Amino acid sequence: MPREQLVRLEEEVDHLKQAVTSHATVDQAIGVILAVGQLTPAHGWDVLKEVSQNTNIKLRHIAELIVTWGRTGELPSEVRSQLESSIDRRSGPSAEDGAAS
């Protein structure tokens, strides 16, 4: 096997390992959001994306922060504010009314 092909394959394996780890972290973060906000998994995903977009922080990093918050209770104030707002929009009375329509 040529050296260049081996290097390419090793890089691809590294990228796949990172993707699997990121996916697991995202799933864990959604779980934290579901527990805190009493939301559906789809809403948990929406919250995670929205917080990432509104803070201009990569989704993977937001997920890491939320998982850490679940263990330590510590979350940067900007992220906490966005998270609370996003959860509130999906769990308040108007969210329930919209779901019933």
Side-chain angles (χ1 to χ4, degrees):
M1 175 178 295
R3 173 97 175 119
E4 293 110 20
Q5 186 179 10
L6 181 61
V7 169
R8 247 190 349 263
L9 289 172
E10 288 173 344
E11 288 173 355
E12 185 175 342
V13 167
D14 286 342
H15 288 285
L16 290 171
K17 285 179 182 177
Q18 289 174 354
V20 167
T21 300
S22 291
H23 185 72
T25 302
V26 167
D27 285 346
Q28 291 170 10
I30 291 171
V32 171
I33 292 168
L34 299 184
V36 170
Q38 299 178 355
L39 302 175
T40 66
H43 282 148
W45 170 246
D46 291 342
V47 166
L48 191 61
K49 288 191 308 183
E50 186 174 290
V51 171
S52 173
Q53 291 169 350
N54 290 343
T55 59
N56 199 27
I57 299 172
K58 288 187 178 192
L59 189 125
R60 178 184 69 242
H61 187 62
I62 290 293
E64 291 167 355
L65 290 170
I66 290 172
V67 169
T68 299
W69 171 61
R71 288 192 322 267
T72 66
E74 297 177 11
L75 190 64
S77 60
E78 179 188 11
V79 175
R80 180 183 295 272
S81 174
Q82 288 295 325
L83 181 63
E84 289 172 352
S85 295
S86 187
I87 288 173
D88 287 348
R89 277 193 292 284
R90 288 167 177 79
S91 63
S94 61
E96 291 174 11
D97 294 343
S101 300

